[in-house]
Amino acid sequence: MPTQPHHLNLCAFFSTALIALLGTGPASAAPKDETGPPVQFNRDIRPILSDKCYTCHGPDKSKRLSNLRLDNEEGAKADLGGRFAVVPGKLETSQLIQRITTDNEAIRMPPIHSGKKLSGEQIDLFKRWIAEGARWQKHWSFITPKRPELPEVSDPSWPRNPIDSFVLARLDREDLSASAEAGRATLIRRVTIDLTGLPPTPGEIDAFLADSSPNAYEKIVDRLLKSPRYGERMAVRWLDAARYADTNGYQTDAERYMWRWRDWVIEAFNDNVPFDQFTVEQIAGDMLPNATLEQKIASGFNRNHRGNGEGGIIDAEYAVEYVVDRVETTSTVWLGLTMGCTRCHDHKYDPLTQKEFYKIFAYFNNVPEKGKAFKYGNSPPFIKAPTREQQRELQKLDKNLALAEKSFKGRQAGIDRAQKDWEKALSDSDRVDWLLHDGLIAHYPLDGTLSGVTPGASRDVRARLRDGLPDFSDGRLGQAAGFDGKRFIQAGDVADFRFYENYTLSAWIYPTSPNGTIIARSKAVPTEVKGYGLFLKDSKLQLNMVTRWLDDSSRVETRQPIELNQWHHVLATYDGSLLTDGSKIYVDGTAAKLTFVVDELNQPFGVKAPLRIGAGDGDQPRFEGLIDEVRIYDRALRPAEVSVVATAESLSEIAKTASADRTQAQFDKLRLAFLDQYSPEEIHEAWEKLLGLRNKRAQLVESFPTVMVMQERENRRDTHLLLRGAYDAPGEKVTPGVPAVLPAIPEGVPNDRLGFARWLVDPGNPLTARVTVNRFWQMLFGVGLVKTVEDFGSQGEWPVHMDLLNWLATEFVGNGWDIKGIIKTVVMSATYRQSSRADAELHDRDPENRLLARGPRFRLPAEVLRDQALAISGLLVEKAGGPSVKPYQPTGLWTELAGGKEYPQDHGDKLYRRSLYTFWKRAVPPPAMLNFDSAGREACTVRETRTNTPLQALNLMNDVTFVESSRMMAERMMNEGGSTPAERVAYGYRLATAREPGERRTEILLDSFHHHLDNFESDRKAALALVTQGEHPRSQELNIAELASYTTVASLILNLDETITKE
Amino acid sequence: MNPKLECQLHMTRRHFFGRSSATLGTAVLANLFKDKLGAATATSGGDDSSAGLPGLPHFAPKAKRIIYLFQSGAPSQLDLFDYKPNLKDRRATELPASIRQGQRLTGMTATQTSFPVAPTIFDFKQHGQSGAWISELMPHLAKVADELCFIKTMNTTAINHDPAVTFFQTGFQLAGRPSIGAWLSYGLGTMNQDLPSFVVMVSSGSAREGQPLYDRLWGSGFLPTRYQGVKFRSVGDPVLYLSDPPGINKPARRRFLDDLAKLNNLSLEEFGDPEISTRISQYEMAYRMQTSVPDLTDLSAEPDSTFELYGSEARKPGTFAANCLLARRLAERGVRFIQLYHRGWDQHTELPKGIRRQAKDTDHGTGALIQDLKDRGMLEDTLVIWGGEFGRTVYSQGRLTEDDYGRDHHPRCFTVFMAGGGIKPGISYGETDDYCYNVAKDPVHVHDLHATMMHLLGVDHTKLTFKYQGRHFRLTDVHGEVVEKVLA
């Protein structure tokens, strides 16, 4: 460490700041031996080479100077025309030494213009390394870890498990000693917060304090690992890594629905799914043989990236960005590699090439997706993903439905008989007809009147004729309305469909001109006509939905023209999927072959203009000919229903036809009509019951949440290397593959995304296990064993405890990737259980506690701070999973940025759910989370950071979340804490810190209480104002001045350093 | 501040010294509580971030601070500053292929079958000694024409709003990098003790709905979050959570903080963790902000002449004019980077109507701010920048009529202007072609603008770096050249 002694003497804190600012290079590694063991290439030399030399003498051949490469042994020791950079054992002939030590600035390395410099210490290391034989090593993290031997330690009684042996051996070398075990109260708070993200209750603390059994602590750990809160706690950091959020992240930043994936993660942690399975299912769950719903949901991991639905974007550009995001995220999370660097060029520091980037890219480049995401909601591919509860409900319903279907089938003979009798009577009667009315919202018979009717509605849909006088004549069914290219029907404010709703438009038409509007709800705006409608265009039928023509609209067109001057039944359906594929057009009861003209529907197409028959708005041509029987349904009719609707013959006409001569549609129409309206009561009831169940099932399925998932295209998409990483500069074609520096894909594993997933967790993979246990370590100790948790390459940090890291990695793999197992091992160690108290000297020497001579002590993560306050106050509502919730947030935040919708704050229980369920809008994340260093969730984040700012102080003192928590905590102090103020403040302190306050703290707290009480008693209005903050009702029994004073004390306690810190 | 409270505060500080010196050493605590407290303090230790990075500034700065008036949605350079009188004769003719050059278009006009030239319908006149051409839409700005340096050849890489705005503010199209202001706070530290060093304000205009903005535009990216911009708001608390809850008055808060400090000091004795000292100082800074911020946003002491200069709009909180006035007040108080966002410039259709409205919203405040800074002698060390994320096309998007047209996004050339802070006044830099479609001479890329801004603040843009994911990142990525010719 480049220490500056005079500086350190002056101010211990400066050195820490310096480290924080310099980042994570070798210079900031923890103290190491200066003279002892021989120089190790990986530990001592490679980091310097990487940082100071590789920009010009590294793996990137395009930037390499003087043909000298120092990132591999061959290069460093190569004969460059009789000159050698490195000659083992020979300082005088090693050009490297000469060039770094020369006084001649013109040739000294690194060059002055690079801004880089070697310290004297670094130059000495080079000299020693060459003198000792210049031994080369493959970069440490690319070598599969071997289980290290346990070292000898000075005090064999201290280690509780191997972790401690490694730690103590290092402390012995540093001439430091371990700290004593933390007090029990501190310990239970530490481990409870670490494993569940919530503090222990006073009851739990008391039980632990009173438990004298030797395994008292282990019992606590086991209990916590079984708690469902464990999965919630573990999930948060994983959601950061997976860039999980509730909005799409670009421009409008509208809502998406990935919470089913989030809940899968929580459940997987709670079920202790082994990490290898956890990995495979998230990378390629969709490709597993007979993939289950849960496995498909898991694959949503790589759909959490942002999706751009901005108008006018270039599809191909974002199609590339999404895949790049997957490569970067996956390689950061599992491999600890900064693959992102190789998007545009070979890696400057690590043996990774640009081509290898695109080889991994190829694994993820085969998703049937578009670069233009949907602006609102999930973008394909997505699936319906019922929750576990909904799955159970569906199962139950299906069972009932099967029974009902069976019982209805049992009545078949009886139904046939009854229907036959009815048909007989029918064939003798005058015209009798029937209408499919399920979902019918407007029906215009056009039999001499313009108005529409809706089944069950008390009032007609009022319609008026415009630009002419009504003209009725014989129609397909009764009369029809005539259109002359001018007159049209203004058919009322109906059928105002949202772009994610289902609908059906149906009519009989007799066109005399090839162009005309049949039914439309549209409005001309300056550049186009917005809205939707069914049109005749060059005798072909079109269904159009337009927000902005071309880049935000959908159009399908029938391939075959229809004959003019004759009657046709035309019907169009839309399934609310935003996909052109979700539009269908039927001609005379049969689905027509369609051309998908534009498939870019992305925004609401609703307009205020009324529905029109025979015309649209603006330049949309008006209809010429006859229109009859216009019907509009608020659902997409099924094909069998369409053919029934398109059957013009009345029931009585069909009944008169011999059954052998009836078409299927005619047969269906009779049967449906009979069951619906003309059957005997008993049959009708059975039918209604069956229909009821079917509808209930359909509604249930409709209510299922969706989740975006990974899928494979049928025809593999080619992948090209992209020059400079640009989407529009394809280079050579590449095939999927893994970087050469790492082990190959195992034998017998297919070389696809699933194979890649299995390769990630192959025991031979040198990175995955290390990277993963290192993140767990970071979660528990604040800093990883490798501080650069996201970078295990040569620019990453040399692990402070290499053997410990390797031991943990091999232990993790050896125990079948048992996550709870490895976490238990860590929290059971004596290292973890140490007290975090330390003197100034130790803080000075090891500010970040890398040597582990004390227990972890650092500020709680953002979500734990809020959850803890809710828990302490008793406000916390524990409910697992479900859609995200919107607790308090200062008003106006969404409006002032997004310019649209204001944050629709929830009420009641939803205000008090755990923070991982808080709605995460990427453009405007929850401010209290960001204030406390939460990841922004725009891109993968694995490093935990902690700052200490005045905004945090304001947040904890004044945010209604914490003020309300204070007053509810005050109620607890008054109701549960005892009868005297001293007991009550002590109780509050203990709720928050698990500790007893002791005499001095109690004195300050009491003094504070009495001071505020004096004031609030004389200003009860102020007291009332304070104790009514937040929406939770206040206890009416408590004295307001007292409650306000305890609220202030509670707030004081919630702001204490020891409350917001894990000690 | 109430003198009695002030006295209490000092006593509290003395009390700390007495109490803790035994464990930590007087020098440490003296440093901790010296009057120049940082806006925020580092993660694991109590550094004094007011100092910024060692070695910075790299050379003597020309500007002490920046006021960046960002015009989100992309204003039309053709209708405001880049005067092309010869286009009048080419009205409604097809944009020649030799100009179009097959360059990419957005999905909104890529399929348009015709690209009719739409000359501006607004009058341009020359102003000031410098004879700068300015559209009739900007009468107040025209009065300070001689202070301005127009860059006519700005160009950018992105063609859609979100990536383009992100690019302008962070030097990269995708989210995740630190914003300009965050880089400056990280590198240069802060110049004041009571306010953040990087403040953002979003104004509301008469546009019904503008393009969305994002917290990331003033975020810290991979830099520690303490470097992120602090948004000053016109509704509710000017700074989030600034006000004490109802029922807690100033003396109660002071007492609260004194008690908190006493208690935290006990922990400091027990745990020896320097982070606790930092925490104590951050609460004091928070307390100072509770006074300094309302004092800043309270315009009641401004004389009438101020509102004569800025217009009566400046009395309405949240307007562009009001924020321009606040920007001056922030500048006076030593805030280094002040950024205003104004939305609503995205005129794909009905451009004449839209741009009139936008100009009316922003012209008065902009002109007044520059004049005001000049009058106060602050313009020479304050760099003012005005501009959007890209420009607009010469061809009409949608229908072209006598008095109506629209324009699509155009990243290939557009105009920004700068003033003060070491910028050469009264010049126009760079030339566009006859159609204002391509750069004809002296292109200035976003990276170049960033490099120039940093240069004026005394920062070598290639040397302000942060190591993240194994790489030394900088605002200008691997690009950017200082535009020497615009420097005074």
Side-chain angles (χ1 to χ4, degrees), chain A residues 761-765 769-770 808-818 822:
Chain A
V761 287
D762 187 90
N765 188 313
R770 280 184 178 129
L808 285 167
T810 53
E811 177 77 2
F812 189 36
V813 177
N815 282 346
W817 303 89
D818 175 358
I822 197 76

Side-chain angles (χ1 to χ4, degrees), chain A residues 16 251 310 526 891 933 946, chain B residues 43-44 161 211 225 233 399:
Chain A
T16 324
Q251 229 222 2
E310 178 174 340
T891 49
D933 307 294
R946 277 171 292 278
Chain B
T43 159
S44 41
H161 297 289
Q211 296 296 325
T225 50
R233 314 172 65 228
R399 260 175 290 228

Side-chain angles (χ1 to χ4, degrees), chain A residues 136-154:
Chain A
W136 204 273
Q137 287 174 303
K138 192 176 179 179
H139 180 58
W140 70 270
S141 72
F142 299 147
I143 306 166
T144 307
K146 287 202 189 70
R147 199 172 175 82
E149 296 285 325
L150 288 194
E152 295 283 324
V153 293
S154 57

Side-chain angles (χ1 to χ4, degrees), chain B residues 150-187:
Chain B
F150 290 96
I151 297 178
K152 300 274 176 62
T153 48
M154 275 307 303
N155 59 91
T156 181
T157 313
I159 195 165
N160 303 106
H161 297 289
D162 177 329
V165 180
T166 308
F167 191 59
F168 242 102
Q169 301 310 327
T170 71
F172 201 66
Q173 290 193 47
L174 301 175
R177 304 265 175 110
S179 55
I180 307 168
W183 276 112
L184 295 176
S185 298
Y186 156 70

